[in-house]
Amino acid sequence: MEYPHLFTPGRIGPVTVKNRLVMTAMCVGLAHHDGAVSDALAAYYEERAAGGVGLMITECTRVNETDAVAYPSMLSMSHDRYIEPLRKAAERVHAHGAKLFMQLYHPGRQNVVLFPTIWRFNERMARIFPSYWDWYFKMAGRFDASMIDDPKTAKRMEKYMKPLLAPSDVPCGLGDNPVRHQKTVPMTIPQIKTLIGQFIAAAGRVKKAGADGVELHAAHGYLLQQFLSPYTNRREDDYGGSLENRMRLLKEIIEGVKAECGPDFPISVRLSVEEFYDTIGYPGQGILLEEGVEMAKRLERFGVDALNISSGNYDTAQTSCEPISFPPGWRKYLAKAVKEQVRIPVIAANLIRTPEQAEAQLNEGTQDFIAMGRSYLSDPEWAKKAMEGRSGEINRCICCLRCMESFQENIMNGKPVECAVNPRACRESKFPRTAPKDGWQRPVVVVGAGPAGLTAANELAARDFKVTVLEQGGAPGGQLILAAAPPLKEKMDWFIQYLTHQALQQGVDIRYNTRAAKEVIESFRPYAVFLATGAEAAAPRIPGSDSDTVTTVTPILTGERTYAGKEVAVIGSGMTGLETAELLMGQGNTVTIIEMADQIAPGAYPINASDVIGRLEKGGVRFLPGRRLERIGDGMLYLRRKDGVLEEIRADATVLAIGVRSNSALEKECTGHFERLYSIGDAVTPGRIGNATRSAFMRARGLQ
């Protein structure tokens, strides 16, 4: 076998896991609105179990219906009515030889006050009015969660909203977390005792449902970790102060679960052994690795059967769900530090993306089980492909964080998580993995070998259409070629490689350096035509923008135009502008970023933006928000501030990063000449990778 360690059985307490692959908990928004396992969620789990995963851990599951509610469509195990739906899901997972643990948690201070305040009302209304949830999500979709980031808004909300429970009055407020400034109150001793009982009762229900174990979520900044951390736990009673006291809550839960469920029902604890406050400018705060290892040793003495090692919290979220710049395995030293001190199995998600990396980390003794979350979102058959020696066919997660961003967007509208590179993710019950073979070799032409074009080509080829892709460039990738050009964006190449490999394997004919025109397309006598012609950088009509010193981002990213030792102004601070600025900075230029909005990176996902901004700040890049470019002169830029003042700054070169516009010329040329003509991806509406792949997937699956 190519990966002998990876596919050797392992034990967690009395449970034998068929291999060393663990799918970690990841919220996907597929549960019923009341918290029960839905058919859609069961299908999501079953597909990954069928794909070869040894142990699956459900998404975080609340233990009560009052202060533990964190979002609609999250799992619950607070009542016996949740047992039977979980039993059905467990049976579907077990049918494929996989094991199932359920993760139990309470959000504590990391929550939105809206949810625990209105949840009971929502539940009652939904029982009375079956269509209530449709109305609720329609109204809730108008709510902008960023509003609670405003201290004044948060203060007004305190009058009507329940405060969040936590060990101490330490609300989220550092770094780029999404739930800061909300009122947080210390839990009373009776509240703590009640919560312990709720965790124990929930674990008992998990066992009754036929699942194989539970995991207590003491990581990523949720309530159990809040008690462990000296930053969030300022208590002076038996549950605060010393490490012994800070661990008391977790210890009493473990003892209670053992008494309720017996010694043959394993307990795993997901544990952040380092909070990484130093990464956001607060060194010495929170849990540091030395104390984290000591916690792990004590948990072993408490009787837990496995430790799932992680890091970070909402304040330092980039260290628990990494953006694209982080290298694979960057935090494996955390798991190794724990493994060297305990005898129970160590599970760890160390940004693992390939079977080769997983095998190496097992071989070197970093950990006992390989944990991944996003990797199974992007490719449910990761394990099966590795076991069959087809690692080159794995659709690797590129760490774009679209899953995290879409989760925050969709919790207010009732939709599930999205994956940029797998448009079927979390929609398994709606779209079978294998489409019907109904193409009968009818010819289809796809114009463009970017993410939309190749996604469509792959889906159409899987349906047995005879697909030809016409690409005007000399290589596949489209806009992804530009996206991969800035520093630390190499993972973008992974998706290009995957799409191209799949296309060639399915017999798609990709013709490079071929300019598509109506006559060329007609020569194929196509049954259908898909136009994935993409978009191009926009260049506004600003006085002086036609100067030789002005360019869009495209020539910079392709390398057609380079600068060195120049003063360069980048107009626009979206992710493209920020990443282009980093490329220019690395070439030895002095860079200024100018943004019309009042803040840098408006609309960008905060973790992605702060990741790049932090490096730009260290490199001395200057940021000028709240300024509109009015005119470009001879070596000067003229900027209008919000207060009306006109500023002048020097610039040897100006790079425009203000968006893109669709390439629609071919669509206009072909309209009326083909019965089935479809534009997909950026050719319809400029967007990101996920928009392109989803548009292409839906069109290709829907072709009649």
Side-chain angles (χ1 to χ4, degrees), residues 445-448 469-472 511 513-521 524 529-531 533 665-666 669-670:
V445 171
V446 177
V447 180
V469 177
L470 307 179
E471 168 56 49
Q472 68 177 356
R511 303 188 182 187
N513 301 307
T514 302
R515 183 182 178 278
K518 178 176 69 68
E519 293 77 13
V520 175
I521 298 172
F524 291 91
V529 178
F530 285 70
L531 303 180
T533 49
L666 185 59
E669 181 184 348
C670 292

PDB file of all heavy atoms in Angstrom, residues 445-448 469-472 511 513-521 524 529-531 533 665-666 669-670:
ATOM      1  N   VAL A 445     -19.418  22.883 -27.428  1.00  0.00           N
ATOM      2  CA  VAL A 445     -18.247  23.752 -27.441  1.00  0.00           C
ATOM      3  C   VAL A 445     -18.273  24.636 -26.200  1.00  0.00           C
ATOM      4  O   VAL A 445     -19.298  25.255 -25.891  1.00  0.00           O
ATOM      5  CB  VAL A 445     -18.207  24.628 -28.707  1.00  0.00           C
ATOM      6  CG1 VAL A 445     -17.098  25.676 -28.604  1.00  0.00           C
ATOM      7  CG2 VAL A 445     -17.995  23.757 -29.936  1.00  0.00           C
ATOM      8  N   VAL A 446     -17.156  24.661 -25.494  1.00  0.00           N
ATOM      9  CA  VAL A 446     -16.975  25.550 -24.349  1.00  0.00           C
ATOM     10  C   VAL A 446     -15.873  26.533 -24.715  1.00  0.00           C
ATOM     11  O   VAL A 446     -14.774  26.123 -25.103  1.00  0.00           O
ATOM     12  CB  VAL A 446     -16.590  24.775 -23.076  1.00  0.00           C
ATOM     13  CG1 VAL A 446     -16.332  25.743 -21.927  1.00  0.00           C
ATOM     14  CG2 VAL A 446     -17.676  23.774 -22.703  1.00  0.00           C
ATOM     15  N   VAL A 447     -16.149  27.815 -24.599  1.00  0.00           N
ATOM     16  CA  VAL A 447     -15.160  28.837 -24.920  1.00  0.00           C
ATOM     17  C   VAL A 447     -14.557  29.357 -23.619  1.00  0.00           C
ATOM     18  O   VAL A 447     -15.245  29.963 -22.799  1.00  0.00           O
ATOM     19  CB  VAL A 447     -15.786  29.995 -25.716  1.00  0.00           C
ATOM     20  CG1 VAL A 447     -14.724  31.048 -26.021  1.00  0.00           C
ATOM     21  CG2 VAL A 447     -16.416  29.475 -27.002  1.00  0.00           C
ATOM     22  N   GLY A 448     -13.290  29.093 -23.412  1.00  0.00           N
ATOM     23  CA  GLY A 448     -12.590  29.544 -22.217  1.00  0.00           C
ATOM     24  C   GLY A 448     -12.218  28.407 -21.302  1.00  0.00           C
ATOM     25  O   GLY A 448     -13.064  27.580 -20.946  1.00  0.00           O
ATOM     26  N   VAL A 469     -13.001  22.399 -25.808  1.00  0.00           N
ATOM     27  CA  VAL A 469     -12.761  23.695 -25.161  1.00  0.00           C
ATOM     28  C   VAL A 469     -11.840  24.513 -26.051  1.00  0.00           C
ATOM     29  O   VAL A 469     -10.760  24.045 -26.449  1.00  0.00           O
ATOM     30  CB  VAL A 469     -12.130  23.518 -23.761  1.00  0.00           C
ATOM     31  CG1 VAL A 469     -11.815  24.884 -23.153  1.00  0.00           C
ATOM     32  CG2 VAL A 469     -13.063  22.732 -22.849  1.00  0.00           C
ATOM     33  N   LEU A 470     -12.251  25.730 -26.355  1.00  0.00           N
ATOM     34  CA  LEU A 470     -11.439  26.654 -27.143  1.00  0.00           C
ATOM     35  C   LEU A 470     -10.880  27.721 -26.215  1.00  0.00           C
ATOM     36  O   LEU A 470     -11.630  28.481 -25.597  1.00  0.00           O
ATOM     37  CB  LEU A 470     -12.288  27.298 -28.246  1.00  0.00           C
ATOM     38  CG  LEU A 470     -13.056  26.338 -29.170  1.00  0.00           C
ATOM     39  CD1 LEU A 470     -13.857  27.118 -30.199  1.00  0.00           C
ATOM     40  CD2 LEU A 470     -12.106  25.359 -29.845  1.00  0.00           C
ATOM     41  N   GLU A 471      -9.567  27.778 -26.098  1.00  0.00           N
ATOM     42  CA  GLU A 471      -8.902  28.724 -25.201  1.00  0.00           C
ATOM     43  C   GLU A 471      -7.943  29.590 -26.001  1.00  0.00           C
ATOM     44  O   GLU A 471      -7.045  29.070 -26.674  1.00  0.00           O
ATOM     45  CB  GLU A 471      -8.155  27.965 -24.097  1.00  0.00           C
ATOM     46  CG  GLU A 471      -7.186  28.789 -23.263  1.00  0.00           C
ATOM     47  CD  GLU A 471      -7.841  29.989 -22.600  1.00  0.00           C
ATOM     48  OE1 GLU A 471      -8.911  29.820 -21.977  1.00  0.00           O
ATOM     49  OE2 GLU A 471      -7.276  31.100 -22.726  1.00  0.00           O
ATOM     50  N   GLN A 472      -8.140  30.913 -25.918  1.00  0.00           N
ATOM     51  CA  GLN A 472      -7.302  31.805 -26.714  1.00  0.00           C
ATOM     52  C   GLN A 472      -5.875  31.898 -26.194  1.00  0.00           C
ATOM     53  O   GLN A 472      -4.947  32.217 -26.931  1.00  0.00           O
ATOM     54  CB  GLN A 472      -7.924  33.196 -26.783  1.00  0.00           C
ATOM     55  CG  GLN A 472      -7.948  33.953 -25.473  1.00  0.00           C
ATOM     56  CD  GLN A 472      -8.509  35.358 -25.654  1.00  0.00           C
ATOM     57  OE1 GLN A 472      -8.814  35.776 -26.767  1.00  0.00           O
ATOM     58  NE2 GLN A 472      -8.629  36.078 -24.547  1.00  0.00           N
ATOM     59  N   ARG A 511      -8.204  22.993 -26.831  1.00  0.00           N
ATOM     60  CA  ARG A 511      -7.407  23.577 -27.911  1.00  0.00           C
ATOM     61  C   ARG A 511      -6.939  24.971 -27.500  1.00  0.00           C
ATOM     62  O   ARG A 511      -7.732  25.909 -27.410  1.00  0.00           O
ATOM     63  CB  ARG A 511      -8.229  23.642 -29.197  1.00  0.00           C
ATOM     64  CG  ARG A 511      -8.748  22.266 -29.626  1.00  0.00           C
ATOM     65  CD  ARG A 511      -9.392  22.289 -30.988  1.00  0.00           C
ATOM     66  NE  ARG A 511      -9.909  20.960 -31.339  1.00  0.00           N
ATOM     67  CZ  ARG A 511     -10.405  20.648 -32.532  1.00  0.00           C
ATOM     68  NH1 ARG A 511     -10.456  21.577 -33.498  1.00  0.00           N
ATOM     69  NH2 ARG A 511     -10.855  19.431 -32.760  1.00  0.00           N
ATOM     70  N   ASN A 513      -4.467  28.482 -27.710  1.00  0.00           N
ATOM     71  CA  ASN A 513      -4.107  29.469 -28.743  1.00  0.00           C
ATOM     72  C   ASN A 513      -5.133  29.472 -29.889  1.00  0.00           C
ATOM     73  O   ASN A 513      -4.789  29.600 -31.062  1.00  0.00           O
ATOM     74  CB  ASN A 513      -2.705  29.184 -29.298  1.00  0.00           C
ATOM     75  CG  ASN A 513      -1.645  29.209 -28.213  1.00  0.00           C
ATOM     76  OD1 ASN A 513      -1.543  30.182 -27.462  1.00  0.00           O
ATOM     77  ND2 ASN A 513      -0.870  28.136 -28.113  1.00  0.00           N
ATOM     78  N   THR A 514      -6.372  29.319 -29.497  1.00  0.00           N
ATOM     79  CA  THR A 514      -7.462  29.280 -30.473  1.00  0.00           C
ATOM     80  C   THR A 514      -8.471  30.369 -30.140  1.00  0.00           C
ATOM     81  O   THR A 514      -9.139  30.303 -29.095  1.00  0.00           O
ATOM     82  CB  THR A 514      -8.163  27.910 -30.461  1.00  0.00           C
ATOM     83  OG1 THR A 514      -7.206  26.889 -30.738  1.00  0.00           O
ATOM     84  CG2 THR A 514      -9.271  27.865 -31.502  1.00  0.00           C
ATOM     85  N   ARG A 515      -8.565  31.338 -31.014  1.00  0.00           N
ATOM     86  CA  ARG A 515      -9.522  32.413 -30.786  1.00  0.00           C
ATOM     87  C   ARG A 515     -10.891  31.973 -31.295  1.00  0.00           C
ATOM     88  O   ARG A 515     -11.063  31.650 -32.469  1.00  0.00           O
ATOM     89  CB  ARG A 515      -9.095  33.699 -31.492  1.00  0.00           C
ATOM     90  CG  ARG A 515     -10.031  34.869 -31.223  1.00  0.00           C
ATOM     91  CD  ARG A 515      -9.603  36.114 -31.981  1.00  0.00           C
ATOM     92  NE  ARG A 515     -10.530  37.200 -31.746  1.00  0.00           N
ATOM     93  CZ  ARG A 515     -11.691  37.359 -32.379  1.00  0.00           C
ATOM     94  NH1 ARG A 515     -12.059  36.471 -33.286  1.00  0.00           N
ATOM     95  NH2 ARG A 515     -12.487  38.376 -32.101  1.00  0.00           N
ATOM     96  N   ALA A 516     -11.866  31.963 -30.416  1.00  0.00           N
ATOM     97  CA  ALA A 516     -13.209  31.538 -30.791  1.00  0.00           C
ATOM     98  C   ALA A 516     -13.952  32.685 -31.455  1.00  0.00           C
ATOM     99  O   ALA A 516     -13.957  33.814 -30.965  1.00  0.00           O
ATOM    100  CB  ALA A 516     -13.976  31.070 -29.560  1.00  0.00           C
ATOM    101  N   ALA A 517     -14.556  32.400 -32.583  1.00  0.00           N
ATOM    102  CA  ALA A 517     -15.463  33.313 -33.269  1.00  0.00           C
ATOM    103  C   ALA A 517     -16.672  32.500 -33.695  1.00  0.00           C
ATOM    104  O   ALA A 517     -16.659  31.258 -33.640  1.00  0.00           O
ATOM    105  CB  ALA A 517     -14.779  33.947 -34.485  1.00  0.00           C
ATOM    106  N   LYS A 518     -17.721  33.176 -34.121  1.00  0.00           N
ATOM    107  CA  LYS A 518     -18.945  32.479 -34.497  1.00  0.00           C
ATOM    108  C   LYS A 518     -18.674  31.399 -35.537  1.00  0.00           C
ATOM    109  O   LYS A 518     -19.149  30.264 -35.425  1.00  0.00           O
ATOM    110  CB  LYS A 518     -19.975  33.477 -35.018  1.00  0.00           C
ATOM    111  CG  LYS A 518     -21.290  32.828 -35.483  1.00  0.00           C
ATOM    112  CD  LYS A 518     -22.302  33.869 -35.889  1.00  0.00           C
ATOM    113  CE  LYS A 518     -21.910  34.590 -37.167  1.00  0.00           C
ATOM    114  NZ  LYS A 518     -21.971  33.682 -38.366  1.00  0.00           N
ATOM    115  N   GLU A 519     -17.868  31.728 -36.554  1.00  0.00           N
ATOM    116  CA  GLU A 519     -17.599  30.779 -37.627  1.00  0.00           C
ATOM    117  C   GLU A 519     -16.834  29.565 -37.112  1.00  0.00           C
ATOM    118  O   GLU A 519     -17.069  28.431 -37.551  1.00  0.00           O
ATOM    119  CB  GLU A 519     -16.820  31.459 -38.750  1.00  0.00           C
ATOM    120  CG  GLU A 519     -17.600  32.535 -39.494  1.00  0.00           C
ATOM    121  CD  GLU A 519     -17.696  33.832 -38.703  1.00  0.00           C
ATOM    122  OE1 GLU A 519     -16.947  33.976 -37.695  1.00  0.00           O
ATOM    123  OE2 GLU A 519     -18.524  34.694 -39.070  1.00  0.00           O
ATOM    124  N   VAL A 520     -15.883  29.800 -36.206  1.00  0.00           N
ATOM    125  CA  VAL A 520     -15.108  28.692 -35.642  1.00  0.00           C
ATOM    126  C   VAL A 520     -16.022  27.760 -34.854  1.00  0.00           C
ATOM    127  O   VAL A 520     -15.956  26.532 -34.979  1.00  0.00           O
ATOM    128  CB  VAL A 520     -13.974  29.229 -34.749  1.00  0.00           C
ATOM    129  CG1 VAL A 520     -13.236  28.067 -34.066  1.00  0.00           C
ATOM    130  CG2 VAL A 520     -13.013  30.071 -35.556  1.00  0.00           C
ATOM    131  N   ILE A 521     -16.879  28.338 -34.033  1.00  0.00           N
ATOM    132  CA  ILE A 521     -17.801  27.528 -33.225  1.00  0.00           C
ATOM    133  C   ILE A 521     -18.747  26.746 -34.126  1.00  0.00           C
ATOM    134  O   ILE A 521     -19.021  25.561 -33.888  1.00  0.00           O
ATOM    135  CB  ILE A 521     -18.577  28.429 -32.243  1.00  0.00           C
ATOM    136  CG1 ILE A 521     -17.611  29.110 -31.261  1.00  0.00           C
ATOM    137  CG2 ILE A 521     -19.615  27.615 -31.475  1.00  0.00           C
ATOM    138  CD1 ILE A 521     -18.256  30.157 -30.388  1.00  0.00           C
ATOM    139  N   PHE A 524     -18.024  23.179 -35.556  1.00  0.00           N
ATOM    140  CA  PHE A 524     -18.173  21.976 -34.736  1.00  0.00           C
ATOM    141  C   PHE A 524     -19.608  21.449 -34.751  1.00  0.00           C
ATOM    142  O   PHE A 524     -19.878  20.406 -34.166  1.00  0.00           O
ATOM    143  CB  PHE A 524     -17.747  22.263 -33.290  1.00  0.00           C
ATOM    144  CG  PHE A 524     -16.271  22.493 -33.118  1.00  0.00           C
ATOM    145  CD1 PHE A 524     -15.736  23.779 -33.204  1.00  0.00           C
ATOM    146  CD2 PHE A 524     -15.414  21.433 -32.883  1.00  0.00           C
ATOM    147  CE1 PHE A 524     -14.381  23.999 -33.049  1.00  0.00           C
ATOM    148  CE2 PHE A 524     -14.053  21.642 -32.721  1.00  0.00           C
ATOM    149  CZ  PHE A 524     -13.535  22.933 -32.812  1.00  0.00           C
ATOM    150  N   VAL A 529     -23.536  25.549 -26.781  1.00  0.00           N
ATOM    151  CA  VAL A 529     -22.331  26.377 -26.669  1.00  0.00           C
ATOM    152  C   VAL A 529     -22.333  27.052 -25.297  1.00  0.00           C
ATOM    153  O   VAL A 529     -23.330  27.666 -24.899  1.00  0.00           O
ATOM    154  CB  VAL A 529     -22.281  27.457 -27.770  1.00  0.00           C
ATOM    155  CG1 VAL A 529     -21.032  28.330 -27.595  1.00  0.00           C
ATOM    156  CG2 VAL A 529     -22.312  26.819 -29.146  1.00  0.00           C
ATOM    157  N   PHE A 530     -21.222  26.919 -24.606  1.00  0.00           N
ATOM    158  CA  PHE A 530     -21.049  27.556 -23.295  1.00  0.00           C
ATOM    159  C   PHE A 530     -19.945  28.612 -23.424  1.00  0.00           C
ATOM    160  O   PHE A 530     -18.809  28.278 -23.785  1.00  0.00           O
ATOM    161  CB  PHE A 530     -20.659  26.527 -22.236  1.00  0.00           C
ATOM    162  CG  PHE A 530     -21.795  25.644 -21.795  1.00  0.00           C
ATOM    163  CD1 PHE A 530     -22.329  24.690 -22.650  1.00  0.00           C
ATOM    164  CD2 PHE A 530     -22.337  25.767 -20.527  1.00  0.00           C
ATOM    165  CE1 PHE A 530     -23.372  23.877 -22.259  1.00  0.00           C
ATOM    166  CE2 PHE A 530     -23.388  24.954 -20.112  1.00  0.00           C
ATOM    167  CZ  PHE A 530     -23.913  24.008 -20.983  1.00  0.00           C
ATOM    168  N   LEU A 531     -20.286  29.853 -23.114  1.00  0.00           N
ATOM    169  CA  LEU A 531     -19.318  30.941 -23.215  1.00  0.00           C
ATOM    170  C   LEU A 531     -18.785  31.289 -21.831  1.00  0.00           C
ATOM    171  O   LEU A 531     -19.498  31.835 -20.989  1.00  0.00           O
ATOM    172  CB  LEU A 531     -19.970  32.171 -23.854  1.00  0.00           C
ATOM    173  CG  LEU A 531     -20.586  31.970 -25.246  1.00  0.00           C
ATOM    174  CD1 LEU A 531     -21.188  33.272 -25.743  1.00  0.00           C
ATOM    175  CD2 LEU A 531     -19.536  31.450 -26.223  1.00  0.00           C
ATOM    176  N   THR A 533     -16.070  33.350 -21.258  1.00  0.00           N
ATOM    177  CA  THR A 533     -15.071  34.297 -21.775  1.00  0.00           C
ATOM    178  C   THR A 533     -14.504  35.217 -20.707  1.00  0.00           C
ATOM    179  O   THR A 533     -13.644  36.049 -21.003  1.00  0.00           O
ATOM    180  CB  THR A 533     -15.691  35.128 -22.902  1.00  0.00           C
ATOM    181  OG1 THR A 533     -16.959  35.651 -22.474  1.00  0.00           O
ATOM    182  CG2 THR A 533     -15.922  34.265 -24.134  1.00  0.00           C
ATOM    183  N   ALA A 665     -18.508  40.368 -25.821  1.00  0.00           N
ATOM    184  CA  ALA A 665     -18.511  40.583 -27.274  1.00  0.00           C
ATOM    185  C   ALA A 665     -18.895  39.314 -28.026  1.00  0.00           C
ATOM    186  O   ALA A 665     -19.693  39.358 -28.975  1.00  0.00           O
ATOM    187  CB  ALA A 665     -17.142  41.080 -27.731  1.00  0.00           C
ATOM    188  N   LEU A 666     -18.359  38.167 -27.600  1.00  0.00           N
ATOM    189  CA  LEU A 666     -18.659  36.923 -28.314  1.00  0.00           C
ATOM    190  C   LEU A 666     -20.127  36.532 -28.132  1.00  0.00           C
ATOM    191  O   LEU A 666     -20.749  35.994 -29.052  1.00  0.00           O
ATOM    192  CB  LEU A 666     -17.744  35.801 -27.819  1.00  0.00           C
ATOM    193  CG  LEU A 666     -17.863  34.469 -28.575  1.00  0.00           C
ATOM    194  CD1 LEU A 666     -17.559  34.647 -30.061  1.00  0.00           C
ATOM    195  CD2 LEU A 666     -16.925  33.423 -27.961  1.00  0.00           C
ATOM    196  N   GLU A 669     -22.049  38.407 -30.620  1.00  0.00           N
ATOM    197  CA  GLU A 669     -21.797  37.888 -31.959  1.00  0.00           C
ATOM    198  C   GLU A 669     -22.564  36.591 -32.212  1.00  0.00           C
ATOM    199  O   GLU A 669     -23.025  36.332 -33.340  1.00  0.00           O
ATOM    200  CB  GLU A 669     -20.293  37.644 -32.136  1.00  0.00           C
ATOM    201  CG  GLU A 669     -19.895  37.116 -33.505  1.00  0.00           C
ATOM    202  CD  GLU A 669     -18.401  36.812 -33.590  1.00  0.00           C
ATOM    203  OE1 GLU A 669     -17.651  37.219 -32.676  1.00  0.00           O
ATOM    204  OE2 GLU A 669     -18.001  36.144 -34.561  1.00  0.00           O
ATOM    205  N   CYS A 670     -22.712  35.764 -31.158  1.00  0.00           N
ATOM    206  CA  CYS A 670     -23.305  34.434 -31.335  1.00  0.00           C
ATOM    207  C   CYS A 670     -24.806  34.387 -31.085  1.00  0.00           C
ATOM    208  O   CYS A 670     -25.464  33.408 -31.459  1.00  0.00           O
ATOM    209  CB  CYS A 670     -22.619  33.438 -30.399  1.00  0.00           C
ATOM    210  SG  CYS A 670     -20.896  33.095 -30.817  1.00  0.00           S
TER     211      CYS A 670
END
